[in-house]
Amino acid sequence: MQAPAQTSGSGLRLAIVLGLVALAAIVPILLPSWATLITLVAAKGVVVLGVIILLQAGQVSFGHAMYFAVGAYAVAFWGRHMGPGDLILYLLLGSAAATLFGAVIGLFVVRYREIFFGMLNLAFSMVLWSLLEKLYHYTNGADGIRVVRPTIAGIAFQPETFQYALLYVTLVIAVVASYVAQRYLDSPLGHMLRAIKSNETRLEYLGVSARRVLLIGYVLSAFLCGLGGALVAVAQQIATPEFGYWTKSGEFVFIAILGGSSSALGAFAGSAVFEIVRFYAAAKLANTWQLILGVVLIAIIMFAPNGLVGILNRNRRNAEARR
Amino acid sequence: MDSTIFILALLDGVSYAALVFLVSVGLSLIFSVLRIVNVAHGSLYAYGAYVAATLSLAVAPISPWLTFPALLVASVAVGVVVGGVMERFLLRPVYGREDVLQLLITFAVFMIMDNLQRLIWGVQPIFASTPLKLLPNVSVLGVSYTSYQVILLPAVALLTVLGLRYFLRHTLAGAVILAVTEDREAATAIGVDARRVFLVTFMIGASLAALGGALASPTTSLVPGMGADMIVLSFAVAATAGLGQIEGAAVTALMIGIARAFVIYLQPEFEVLVPYLIMVLVLLIRPMGLFGVDKVRKI
Amino acid sequence: MSAPLLQARGLEIRFGGVVAADGVDLDVIEGENLAIIGPNGAGKTTFLNISTGYLKPLAGTVTFLGQDITRLPPRAITRLGIARAFQIPQLFLEQTVMENMMIAAAARSGETSGWRRLLDRPEREEMLRLLDSVGVAAFAERRAHELPEGQRKLVDIALALALKPRLLLMDEPTSGVASSEKMGVMDILVAALAREKVSSVFVEHDMDMVERYAHRVAVWSSGRIQTVGPPAQVLGDPEVRQRVIGI
């Protein structure tokens, strides 16, 4: 999300984004099994946007799956105690719960940086995970809580049409969330957030409270994770403690770096590669998806430091250079 | 709570602490020298356990006593081979790049090792308790317990503390490692080969994790996911103690191990919560850990 | 004579066994450029660190415009009107020079929007003029890490000026600038200070600079202020020459 020095690329970028969204909307009509897959790609992309925001400040959270889980469980608890609800209500609930959690935990963690920031987030997330896993009476433990198919804006869908409706809602949310995240990062607060990464001392010497700036970024990131968590819970019709386990947090950081942590497009590119490899390798290659993804990640880090989006940009530059 | 349960919980806690200590001190050592949190550390623990179990099961028919050297061979082999390959071929190329990339390399190794583990050893639990059964039970204040768990494991942990102390403070190789830890540039400037120090340190740390796993293998069933659980647990101990603190890690492991054991007898559902709750509370009050030294931020 | 802008009384601080300040009294008068000179390691930078709240003294107080600022954090002191430029430039290296400047402009006006674009803010022209006045406008769209050291130094000073401070504290403002350009840079800087009515304190090793640009000179040695006075008088003192300049 570097502010592009050249504006000529932004038209092309918009065209690419619109093309991809159109593709994501049309492909599942031809390949119905892809509807849920693309929904998951877009929903997790929203979560990864949240992780990318913190990466802009140079902070790596190995605990952000907790907000993902909070979003999912907010939906699950509502379904369990209040009966079936509406998707809009679910999304509001999931993101509001995560935002609230993020604000409270954020007050503590924004005092720390780097490894300490990472550790404290991990610690909080593991406490949440333990509770989800062990408070069996409330959470069904490791089995998780089933999420019943909600109505969407009051309309009850059949399963076949519901997956499409959910897909389109998710795509719209992904586009809006990307735009909001991009605007935020281009705003004074977003630039101050990025300034924390390169020189927090100077920021304080400009009269800015770095903690406050980081807290706002942290809460926004928790909001996005909760929103994504609510969407995934609805798409997979379940919320389990695994949603908040540390490996899930690692997965989100993984996807951010895989795609390229400097752009919103990277979040979705990374998410697409991750989910598609998982989907196909799990089904066809005797459960070797983790192995494959691990190797892909190492290759990306070694040979393409700016992630998948970095490869795209490099090819474009090369093509322009040849002209 | 009657006294039998009290003693039982205490012994459970001590034997468990010995294992967790071995893993977390390896993690801590690697962090203090290489400044890398090795996410694959739990996998080294799991591989130590699986390789040890496989070896034990193979040699037990020849002589059950051969299982003891098998544990040791397994841990050194895993530590040197897997640890060595990781440091030399995966981490070395990314030194100097952003910290998150080094962290993610180890995360990728975790994913690969976790997957391979399932392909090699399957998902069914494996038992290899020969060493545990060979040693007699002992009576501690009227409570009978395996001497493997209450004598051998704590003895190994104690030897590790003393051995590491001696190695770091009284040998040349140890002094070199400490020098690199203190000030990498200065050490390099006076001719220390930092790359070799990194490799050796990583192998030692990895071997300690594998040793923890190998020694744990007779006491528990080996299952997928044991590595993923152990990494966060050992991380909780290392962070609560303060990263880089050897004796501190031992004390913290005891504290967390015993607290956990008592919770198992009192409120079993909160067992997994204990280490993380302790970690959160300690880090909120002392982010550098219980035994860590506060470093002034230099600008 | 008007009350001093900044007033330090009885400052004491030590690092380990080294006493950097041991009863330092120093005033900065409105409108002046005060130079601090002294041997290396004498504690000159420490004075800047205390005055901006980065270090807390063991004893003593600093007042600015009559307000005690001794225990305030740097950001609060900055908001009261003391800006600082650093010996080693402190920039946001991954952002462009203009973005650096606009962050300062936003900080000055207390902007907290997470939606409006930083670069659409109205201060853009003003920041460009400011960059131009220190001679680095040509670098406005470059990322800060691409700039040579000397230019970074100028951007660092421009960042401090962007806050429109009452008082600017500078640590060797022309170190890192090519020696042939030092005078030119200082001419521009001093003119800018006078135009914007900013008072300044600068730590300096180059006595030509001190002689030419300082209204007053304070000699910091052995944790104390040995002398304060006009450059001609202070630099003419044989004892000062021997102790500080070494000739």
Side-chain angles (χ1 to χ4, degrees):
Chain A
M1 277 176 229
Q2 312 268 342
Q6 74 290 359
T7 42
S8 63
S10 65
L12 181 63
R13 187 171 299 201
L14 187 66
I16 290 176
V17 170
L18 288 178
L20 286 176
V21 172
L23 203 65
I26 294 164
V27 165
I29 297 175
L30 310 171
L31 286 168
S33 65
W34 278 56
T36 301
L37 183 64
I38 295 180
T39 306
L40 287 177
V41 167
K44 288 199 176 170
V46 172
V47 177
V48 174
L49 272 181
V51 173
I52 284 180
I53 284 177
L54 284 179
L55 284 173
Q56 299 291 311
Q59 307 304 318
V60 184
S61 165
F62 242 64
H64 254 50
M66 77 178 128
Y67 300 114
F68 180 70
V70 165
Y73 271 90
V75 169
F77 282 137
W78 179 277
R80 182 172 164 153
H81 297 289
M82 313 297 285
D86 191 87
L87 183 64
I88 294 167
L89 170 74
Y90 280 4
L91 297 180
L92 287 175
L93 271 177
S95 50
T99 306
L100 193 67
F101 254 72
V104 174
I105 292 177
L107 280 176
F108 295 105
V109 300
V110 298
R111 291 188 291 156
Y112 306 109
R113 297 289 175 274
E114 294 170 0
I115 183 77
F116 300 112
F117 179 85
M119 285 195 309
L120 207 51
N121 275 295
L122 174 68
F124 274 115
S125 79
M126 289 307 290
V127 167
L128 178 73
W129 172 78
S130 316
L131 291 174
L132 293 177
E133 177 97 8
K134 293 299 166 181
L135 292 179
Y136 191 87
H137 185 66
Y138 301 98
T139 65
N140 287 353
D143 297 338
I145 302 174
R146 265 186 59 77
V147 173
V148 180
R149 193 171 63 244
T151 55
I152 298 179
I155 305 163
F157 286 88
Q158 290 307 302
E160 311 81 60
T161 41
F162 178 78
Q163 58 171 351
Y164 289 105
L166 182 63
L167 169 67
Y168 295 135
V169 171
T170 309
L171 286 177
V172 170
I173 288 174
V175 171
V176 172
S178 302
Y179 184 68
V180 169
Q182 185 68 61
R183 281 299 295 250
Y184 166 72
L185 288 171
D186 287 341
S187 76
L189 275 178
H191 274 281
M192 288 169 183
L193 186 80
R194 288 158 56 187
I196 291 176
K197 181 178 182 182
S198 58
N199 204 326
E200 193 172 334
T201 309
R202 171 53 96 180
L203 196 58
E204 291 275 331
Y205 271 103
L206 292 179
V208 175
S209 162
R211 276 186 198 173
R212 195 168 149 268
V213 168
L214 185 56
L215 180 60
I216 294 167
Y218 190 87
V219 172
L220 176 60
S221 123
F223 164 83
L224 290 170
C225 289
L227 186 59
L231 282 169
V232 170
V234 172
Q236 297 190 324
Q237 297 173 18
I238 197 162
T240 69
E242 211 204 326
F243 281 33
Y245 195 51
W246 73 267
T247 52
K248 195 61 109 187
S249 297
E251 213 174 280
F252 293 139
V253 181
F254 175 130
I255 296 172
I257 301 292
L258 176 70
S261 62
S262 61
S263 83
L265 196 55
F268 296 97
S271 177
V273 169
F274 192 96
E275 291 300 325
I276 290 169
V277 169
R278 170 145 76 186
F279 184 69
Y280 275 95
K284 306 221 159 101
L285 292 167
N287 276 317
T288 51
W289 65 270
Q290 273 189 306
L291 187 73
I292 295 171
L293 282 168
V295 172
V296 168
L297 179 63
I298 289 175
I300 289 278
I301 290 176
M302 299 270 183
F303 306 113
N306 297 318
L308 296 169
V309 171
I311 298 176
L312 269 175
N313 287 345
R314 194 162 60 197
N315 288 343
R316 206 176 67 213
R317 270 199 303 278
N318 288 348
E320 277 162 13
R322 276 196 296 275
R323 269 209 307 269
Chain B
M1 166 182 270
D2 67 47
S3 62
T4 312
I5 290 182
F6 182 84
I7 293 163
L8 216 50
L10 210 58
L11 297 179
D12 282 354
V14 169
S15 77
Y16 184 73
L19 293 173
V20 177
F21 162 74
L22 288 173
V23 184
S24 48
V25 79
L27 185 73
S28 212
L29 185 70
I30 290 173
F31 179 82
S32 60
V33 177
L34 286 85
R35 299 278 138 193
I36 288 177
V37 174
N38 178 21
V39 178
H41 207 66
S43 307
L44 291 163
Y45 164 84
Y47 275 52
Y50 272 106
V51 172
T54 307
L55 269 183
S56 299
L57 292 173
V59 298
I62 305 167
S63 159
W65 291 100
L66 283 176
T67 54
F68 283 100
L71 299 185
L72 203 62
V73 167
S75 36
V76 174
V78 168
V80 169
V81 174
V82 183
V85 168
M86 245 184 104
E87 198 283 335
R88 175 63 188 83
F89 296 105
L90 300 178
L91 289 174
R92 193 174 291 180
V94 294
Y95 291 145
R97 303 256 307 268
E98 283 183 62
D99 292 352
V100 60
L101 298 183
Q102 298 167 10
L103 190 76
L104 273 183
I105 288 270
T106 66
F107 183 73
V109 172
F110 158 76
M111 290 179 79
I112 294 169
M113 286 180 77
D114 204 52
N115 202 149
L116 279 178
Q117 178 191 313
R118 255 173 276 186
L119 294 178
I120 298 171
W121 288 288
V123 294
Q124 296 306 316
I126 292 179
F127 300 92
S129 56
T130 311
L132 183 75
K133 289 175 184 152
L134 273 179
L135 299 181
N137 277 12
V138 288
S139 172
V140 182
L141 299 170
V143 176
S144 174
Y145 215 99
T146 63
S147 55
Y148 181 90
Q149 282 169 293
V150 293
I151 297 176
L152 184 73
L153 294 185
V156 172
L158 195 63
L159 276 176
T160 306
V161 173
L162 297 176
L164 277 176
R165 262 184 87 106
Y166 181 81
F167 172 68
L168 290 174
R169 304 205 181 148
H170 299 283
T171 67
L172 183 63
V176 168
I177 290 180
L178 282 186
V180 173
T181 311
E182 282 294 313
D183 190 336
R184 190 178 302 175
E185 273 110 54
T188 314
I190 58 167
V192 170
D193 183 357
R195 291 196 306 178
R196 232 185 96 208
V197 169
F198 284 7
L199 180 64
V200 170
T201 306
F202 201 89
M203 283 178 175
I204 295 175
S207 300
L208 285 169
L211 181 63
L215 290 175
S217 65
T219 68
T220 178
S221 57
L222 311 188
V223 290
M226 65 185 288
D229 287 342
M230 183 46 98
I231 175 61
V232 263
L233 187 60
S234 62
F235 189 73
V237 169
T240 305
L243 287 162
Q245 304 296 319
I246 295 171
E247 294 87 349
V251 176
T252 308
L254 265 179
M255 191 177 92
I256 288 182
I258 292 172
R260 174 181 168 275
F262 275 96
V263 169
I264 289 177
Y265 285 102
L266 296 171
Q267 282 288 325
E269 64 270 32
F270 291 124
E271 167 213 335
V272 279
L273 183 63
V274 171
Y276 308 117
L277 207 55
I278 293 178
M279 179 184 180
V280 165
L281 293 177
V282 169
L283 290 184
L284 281 180
I285 299 161
R286 277 181 68 86
M288 74 299 288
L290 288 175
F291 302 92
V293 187
D294 197 1
K295 256 200 314 194
V296 180
R297 212 158 48 120
K298 246 200 265 179
I299 298 169
Chain C
M1 193 176 125
S2 61
L5 191 60
L6 184 90
Q7 193 171 43
R9 286 293 173 270
L11 293 184
E12 262 182 60
I13 194 163
R14 53 181 86 86
F15 304 104
V18 183
V19 180
D22 181 19
V24 165
D25 298 336
L26 190 61
D27 290 350
V28 182
I29 299 161
E30 179 97 58
E32 76 169 341
N33 298 324
L34 172 71
I36 302 180
I37 63 172
N40 277 328
K44 304 184 295 291
T45 301
T46 301
F47 178 72
L48 304 189
N49 281 335
I50 293 176
S51 306
T52 55
Y54 190 68
L55 290 176
K56 311 289 174 221
L58 295 172
T61 55
V62 183
T63 50
F64 177 66
L65 293 169
Q67 183 181 347
D68 185 348
I69 59 167
T70 324
R71 306 277 144 191
L72 294 182
R75 64 170 178 280
I77 294 175
T78 304
R79 285 192 206 128
L80 290 175
I82 300 182
R84 178 172 182 184
F86 295 81
Q87 186 181 5
I88 299 162
Q90 302 287 328
L91 307 180
F92 308 124
L93 291 175
E94 292 176 16
Q95 282 149 293
T96 67
V97 170
M98 182 50 90
E99 284 167 353
N100 272 262
M101 296 296 288
M102 292 301 289
I103 290 173
R108 180 181 73 193
S109 59
E111 169 73 271
T112 54
S113 169
W115 186 254
R116 286 171 49 198
R117 290 194 172 84
L118 177 76
L119 295 178
D120 289 348
R121 292 182 58 80
E123 299 95 336
R124 217 178 150 148
E125 278 302 309
E126 178 198 342
M127 293 300 124
L128 198 60
R129 276 200 305 278
L130 188 51
L131 287 173
D132 191 41
S133 75
V134 295
V136 287
F139 296 98
E141 300 307 323
R142 299 275 287 278
R143 290 188 199 286
H145 69 82
E146 298 170 18
L147 268 57
E149 175 77 11
Q151 267 65 35
R152 280 191 213 181
K153 189 92 184 176
L154 297 172
V155 175
D156 186 73
I157 293 171
L159 268 182
L161 284 172
L163 297 174
K164 290 198 172 160
R166 291 286 294 273
L167 174 63
L168 175 61
L169 307 181
M170 294 178 285
D171 204 345
E172 301 192 33
T174 60
S175 72
V177 177
S179 57
S180 59
E181 294 167 17
K182 281 185 192 238
M183 293 288 178
V185 166
M186 276 305 273
D187 282 340
I188 293 167
L189 185 55
V190 168
L193 292 174
R195 189 174 60 240
E196 305 289 333
K197 298 190 171 48
V198 181
S199 314
S200 78
V201 174
F202 63 107
V203 169
E204 189 55 81
H205 282 293
D206 187 331
M207 293 307 138
D208 291 341
M209 294 289 170
V210 174
E211 200 154 10
R212 192 164 163 152
Y213 298 109
H215 297 122
R216 290 194 308 149
V217 186
V219 180
W220 189 303
S221 178
S222 311
R224 289 181 169 278
I225 301 291
Q226 305 292 345
T227 335
V228 189
Q233 178 197 326
V234 172
L235 296 179
D237 182 340
E239 201 192 337
V240 169
R241 294 187 75 84
Q242 200 219 342
R243 195 197 281 255
V244 178
I245 314 168
I247 44 171

